[in-house]
Amino acid sequence: MTDNLRGLTEDYGSRYVGRFSQDPTVLDRFWKMRMDYMGEEAEVSLLEATTPQLEVRGMSFEAWRKEFSVRLRRAADRVRQAYCRQTEDGAVAEATISTRVLLRFRDLLLLSYRSP
């Protein structure tokens, strides 16, 4: 179970919809831990390790996969910063990109690349 609000607060005025305080007896039944986004190196490594082999032109697959993974991670990081209101230019994002979403986005890009 995930609880983006740590079960402790109703989220008035935020981007989460339908989130309410949980009963203390419910919260007492779970272990709780805070999870932040993966570090850049770990997330890039995950992207690289799970990117399937494909034919690329002009460079080796390994070099392409590394560059592709780094660029995907940078794009996700910019969205995450905007979501957390931490950009220098004041950009705001209404949704963030989890690692799960980033992997799915990568898969959709690769599917599109492979399509005739």
Side-chain angles (χ1 to χ4, degrees), residues 37-48:
Y37 297 112
M38 295 175 75
E40 181 178 358
E41 186 177 320
E43 200 163 35
V44 167
S45 293
L46 175 65
L47 286 163
E48 284 184 89

Side-chain angles (χ1 to χ4, degrees), residues 13-81:
S14 183
R15 296 170 298 273
Y16 294 108
V17 176
R19 305 296 196 265
F20 301 101
S21 297
Q22 296 297 309
D23 185 278
T25 60
V26 172
L27 292 174
D28 189 50
R29 289 174 168 80
F30 296 94
W31 286 84
K32 299 163 207 63
M33 64 181 151
R34 182 176 175 90
M35 300 293 294
D36 288 322
Y37 297 112
M38 295 175 75
E40 181 178 358
E41 186 177 320
E43 200 163 35
V44 167
S45 293
L46 175 65
L47 286 163
E48 284 184 89
T50 59
T51 296
Q53 180 85 29
L54 54 93
E55 185 179 331
V56 295
R57 296 185 201 132
M59 62 186 349
S60 70
F61 170 72
E62 291 75 20
W64 176 86
R65 179 177 59 188
K66 175 71 171 182
E67 181 68 20
F68 183 62
S69 299
V70 166
R71 287 177 184 235
L72 279 174
R73 175 47 163 80
R74 282 186 196 150
D77 195 45
R78 285 193 294 268
V79 171
R80 292 166 180 169
Q81 288 173 2

